[in-house]
Amino acid sequence: MNVFLRELRAHRTALIFWCIGMFAMVGSGMGKYAAYESSGTSVNTLVRQLPRAVQIILGMGSFDLSKAIGFYGVLYLYLIVMATIHAAVLGAEIISKEERDRTSEFLFAKPVPRTKVITAKLLAALANMIVLNLVTLVSSIWVVDYYNKGGRPVTGDIVALMAGMFFLQLIFLSIGMSIAAIRKKPKSAASIATAVLLATFILSVAIDINNKLEFLKYLTPFKYFDAQDILPDGRLDLGYVALSGGIIIVLLAVTYRFYAKRDLSI
Amino acid sequence: MNIIETKNLTKYYGKSLGIIDVNLSVAEGEIFGFIGPNGAGKSTTIRTLLGLIYPTGGSATIFGKDIIKFGPEIKEEVGYLPSEVFYYDDMKVIDLLKYSGSFYKRDRSVIDKRIKELAGIMDLDLTKKIDDLSYGNKKKVGIVQGLLHQPKLIILDEPTGGLDPLMQQKFFDLLKEENEKGVTILFSSHILSEVQKLCDRVAIIKEGRIIKVQRISDLIEKNYKRFKLQTAAKAEPENISIDGVSDLKIEGTTVSFLYKGPINEITKKLASLDLTDLWAEEPDLEEIFLHYYQKED
């Protein structure tokens, strides 16, 4: 409990800034929708004139951009990038910082097993991620609903998207944690985790651009919960949910196992 | 029962050497010195005992319990002061100490009282932020942190760095007080005078191996004498060199050496010299220690 509370306190300020950032992202992103809409031009026509690759890189895909929820589908890509960066760095740092700040010698001379410390840190990170997810969920529902004049209700869709985002957060949290647990050099854990994130993100864009790469889609979590797949019926693909669960369990097992067995770098 | 017992404890870092076949036994209520130059393996041994790193060979027990299987249980009764202290910079001293105390299955009020008591003795301001503390003051936090749960075994790794002599004295008094209550202390240092002041027995470690374990009193009193002579004429080494003489220095008519052995042998030898003056003194540990290292080289 003490380590859990300590971690909550240590990450409190950062979390507040992330939440503000997320809220600002949702607000300003949907603000653009209002601007397009009031200008009277058809956003869809405008966007369709762009080269396909540009459309994909901007995440515009096949959304109906004249609807608030369609526009939000584009914005979702940016939200998950933010949330996964938060998760990956949080996961890597929450484990590695004891060694980086050289407090591991203090902490692990206490009567506490390493596995228990991992559990406390995992729970604290989860709490942080849940708060960020809920803030995104509430601000998304609020803002999208505000612009969604007369369209069909959006809450269900947004809840499904946020559920997808939560799985992505969990995956990248466990990627960050497992890297920090394996690596003896604590300073590099967060940068490796973000490099993995970047690589998988680029892969997901490459798959969108080139259909021949479709078979690689299992390698990048960003393809698991694509807004284009979720939005039509507001459901997550259960196969990908199971795959995500498997990845998370394996990575957490790696985290516990390696961190408990290796020498701490002091 | 021995409080600490190691059996051929070995630690390699990759291929490079940590410690080899360390055999130690520290009895209950003892102040045990652990001495050797920097990099000899003192910290490696201690960190292995504490489960911060894992041995590559051998085994060890503390309170009769295996250090790997029962790590957390053992640490309930161990207080540790590392050689370099690092704490959470954003915390206040009092918060850090309470955090430290929160890991032990002890009554909070007893711990809080002990924190105040120790901070009083060590003259430590509890309201300051860790980040704003000088090195010496951080060390004091370390001392309080190591003692606040009234452990049965205190492990100190080069504990006096950064403490001024007055604080050192207070700290040593504190340790002696704890020791009188039956607390066992493992005291690692490269400064011999500290060990000499405090310890009952000492293990000497060099390049990862224990060279010798001896009572401090044996080291100092029984075996070694430091001789200084003033001779009438220039002395020749062969007039003095017998078994047991070491560290022989001759500068004109001034001769000095360490001697270990039957005292009659050396006085017979000296009787053959034309002396103008003679001193026979207790060598300090520093000299003996230096001698050990020179002999081994």
Side-chain angles (χ1 to χ4, degrees):
Chain A
M1 198 61 187
N2 44 8
V3 177
F4 174 72
L5 292 176
R6 159 85 201 128
E7 291 302 340
L8 284 191
R9 210 162 295 143
H11 288 94
R12 189 175 47 197
T13 318
L15 180 62
I16 290 171
F17 280 108
W18 273 99
C19 288
I20 293 172
M22 214 52 152
F23 177 74
M25 191 80 176
V26 173
S28 65
M30 290 310 290
K32 289 206 179 64
Y33 169 72
Y36 281 126
E37 217 202 5
S38 60
S39 71
T41 49
S42 163
V43 198
N44 281 330
T45 337
L46 198 74
V47 167
R48 296 301 159 233
Q49 284 165 358
L50 294 169
R52 208 177 89 82
V54 174
Q55 285 179 39
I56 286 163
I57 288 165
L58 294 175
M60 286 168 172
S62 57
F63 295 109
D64 180 358
L65 297 178
S66 64
K67 293 211 174 76
I69 190 68
F71 203 88
Y72 181 74
V74 178
L75 185 60
Y76 177 71
L77 180 71
Y78 299 88
L79 298 182
I80 59 173
V81 167
M82 269 179 82
T84 50
I85 289 174
H86 171 256
V89 174
L90 178 67
E93 296 222 313
I94 207 164
I95 300 295
S96 67
K97 68 177 178 174
E98 304 285 353
E99 290 170 278
R100 185 196 62 201
D101 300 339
R102 305 184 69 179
T103 48
S104 52
E105 206 173 12
F106 163 84
L107 183 59
F108 292 105
K110 305 287 166 219
V112 58
R114 293 193 199 172
T115 47
K116 225 175 153 181
V117 171
I118 297 270
T119 304
K121 284 173 179 272
L122 175 62
L123 292 176
L126 270 179
N128 273 269
M129 280 178 9
I130 290 171
V131 169
L132 187 63
N133 193 291
L134 286 179
V135 166
T136 315
L137 175 74
V138 171
S139 43
S140 298
I141 290 176
W142 183 50
V143 175
V144 176
D145 204 43
Y146 176 81
Y147 290 113
N148 184 35
K149 291 164 195 124
R152 70 179 176 92
V154 293
T155 309
D157 289 341
I158 292 176
V159 168
L161 288 172
M162 286 303 122
M165 183 168 100
F166 189 62
F167 277 107
L168 290 174
Q169 284 176 295
L170 284 172
I171 292 173
F172 281 98
L173 178 80
S174 40
I175 288 175
M177 284 179 86
S178 55
I179 290 169
I182 295 169
R183 293 279 302 176
K184 277 187 86 180
K185 286 194 184 118
K187 274 178 191 155
S188 60
S191 27
I192 296 175
T194 24
V196 170
L197 187 142
L198 197 66
T200 51
F201 181 71
I202 290 171
L203 179 61
S204 77
V205 174
I207 293 170
D208 281 338
I209 294 173
N210 188 345
N211 290 332
K212 282 181 198 148
L213 297 174
E214 185 75 10
F215 66 99
L216 290 173
K217 66 184 175 184
Y218 297 104
L219 293 178
T220 167
F222 288 104
K223 291 304 289 173
Y224 298 178
F225 304 104
D226 205 323
Q228 295 179 63
D229 304 330
I230 296 172
L231 274 182
D233 53 1
R235 282 212 191 98
L236 303 185
D237 183 327
L238 288 180
Y240 281 126
V241 169
L243 178 59
S244 304
I247 291 173
I248 292 159
I249 288 167
V250 168
L251 289 176
L252 289 182
V254 164
T255 305
Y256 276 98
R257 180 148 192 91
F258 276 81
Y259 199 65
K261 293 272 179 242
R262 78 162 158 90
D263 290 347
L264 295 170
S265 67
I266 296 165
Chain B
M1 183 189 74
N2 283 322
I3 294 293
I4 302 176
E5 181 99 54
T6 72
K7 222 171 140 192
N8 299 331
L9 197 64
T10 300
K11 174 69 184 172
Y12 279 93
Y13 293 105
K15 273 185 185 162
S16 75
L17 161 77
I19 48 173
I20 304 174
D21 292 339
V22 167
N23 290 297
L24 286 177
S25 43
V26 179
E28 185 164 8
E30 195 173 23
I31 306 187
F32 192 89
F34 196 29
I35 201 144
N38 294 323
K42 301 190 295 290
S43 295
T44 301
T45 308
I46 287 173
R47 285 167 182 169
T48 309
L49 286 174
L50 288 166
L52 300 169
I53 54 178
Y54 292 109
T56 42
S59 62
T61 60
I62 295 180
F63 310 127
K65 295 170 192 159
D66 184 80
I67 51 161
I68 295 167
K69 273 193 207 139
F70 298 99
E73 200 180 318
I74 290 167
K75 284 179 251 183
E76 194 71 49
E77 296 293 345
V78 175
Y80 172 48
L81 174 61
S83 53
E84 286 177 89
V85 286
F86 291 95
Y87 299 120
Y88 308 93
D89 283 344
D90 57 327
M91 279 177 132
K92 277 187 186 157
V93 174
I94 184 69
D95 295 332
L96 178 97
L97 293 173
K98 284 191 167 172
Y99 182 51
S100 176
S102 70
F103 287 93
Y104 300 97
K105 295 189 190 91
R106 302 278 198 289
D107 192 337
R108 293 284 158 268
S109 60
V110 176
I111 284 186
D112 288 354
K113 209 178 123 215
R114 184 71 178 148
I115 290 174
K116 294 220 171 69
E117 202 177 288
L118 289 167
I121 297 170
M122 296 311 295
D123 195 16
L124 174 68
D125 185 352
L126 291 174
T127 57
K128 278 201 171 164
K129 257 190 154 187
I130 299 282
D131 206 18
D132 299 333
L133 295 181
S134 66
Y135 183 64
N137 276 321
K138 273 189 194 164
K139 203 87 192 192
K140 289 184 195 172
V141 176
I143 292 170
V144 178
Q145 170 271 132
L147 298 179
L148 56 82
H149 55 297
Q150 295 173 301
K152 290 194 187 119
L153 168 66
I154 301 174
I155 298 179
L156 307 158
D157 194 0
E158 308 267 359
T160 52
L163 290 181
D164 61 52
L166 186 70
M167 275 304 144
Q168 250 181 56
Q169 196 50 53
K170 280 187 178 176
F171 175 45
F172 282 3
D173 291 344
L174 201 61
L175 291 176
K176 278 181 191 153
E177 205 179 287
E178 288 300 305
N179 180 242
E180 275 158 26
K181 288 186 219 157
V183 171
T184 311
I185 299 174
L186 175 64
F187 187 106
S188 129
S189 178
H190 68 277
I191 303 163
L192 291 136
S193 53
E194 305 184 335
V195 172
Q196 196 168 350
K197 244 190 251 173
L198 209 61
C199 298
D200 307 319
R201 284 197 305 152
V202 61
I204 299 169
I205 187 167
K206 186 196 173 191
E207 287 163 13
R209 290 174 197 273
I210 302 280
I211 312 174
K212 191 136 193 144
V213 179
Q214 217 165 6
R215 306 213 129 265
I216 292 272
S217 48
D218 289 348
L219 260 180
I220 298 166
E221 285 158 21
K222 293 187 184 129
N223 290 338
Y224 287 90
K225 288 278 183 281
R226 155 77 48 195
F227 279 89
K228 267 196 238 169
L229 322 171
Q230 204 74 45
T231 49
K234 193 177 181 307
E236 295 301 326
E238 55 269 23
N239 291 338
I240 297 152
S241 276
I242 58 167
D243 266 2
V245 167
S246 59
D247 193 26
L248 179 62
K249 280 184 207 129
I250 302 175
E251 284 166 37
T253 58
T254 306
V255 180
S256 89
F257 58 90
L258 273 174
Y259 176 69
K260 180 196 183 189
I263 205 75
N264 280 329
E265 298 295 317
I266 190 72
T267 47
K268 268 183 219 158
K269 193 80 186 171
L270 293 181
S272 65
L273 297 172
D274 187 5
L275 297 178
T276 57
D277 216 337
L278 165 72
W279 299 265
E281 299 166 333
E282 299 294 331
D284 59 24
L285 204 46
E286 201 94 31
E287 285 180 291
I288 299 167
F289 191 52
L290 219 75
H291 159 73
Y292 263 115
Y293 279 93
Q294 284 173 345
K295 201 169 65 181
E296 290 285 323
D297 278 341

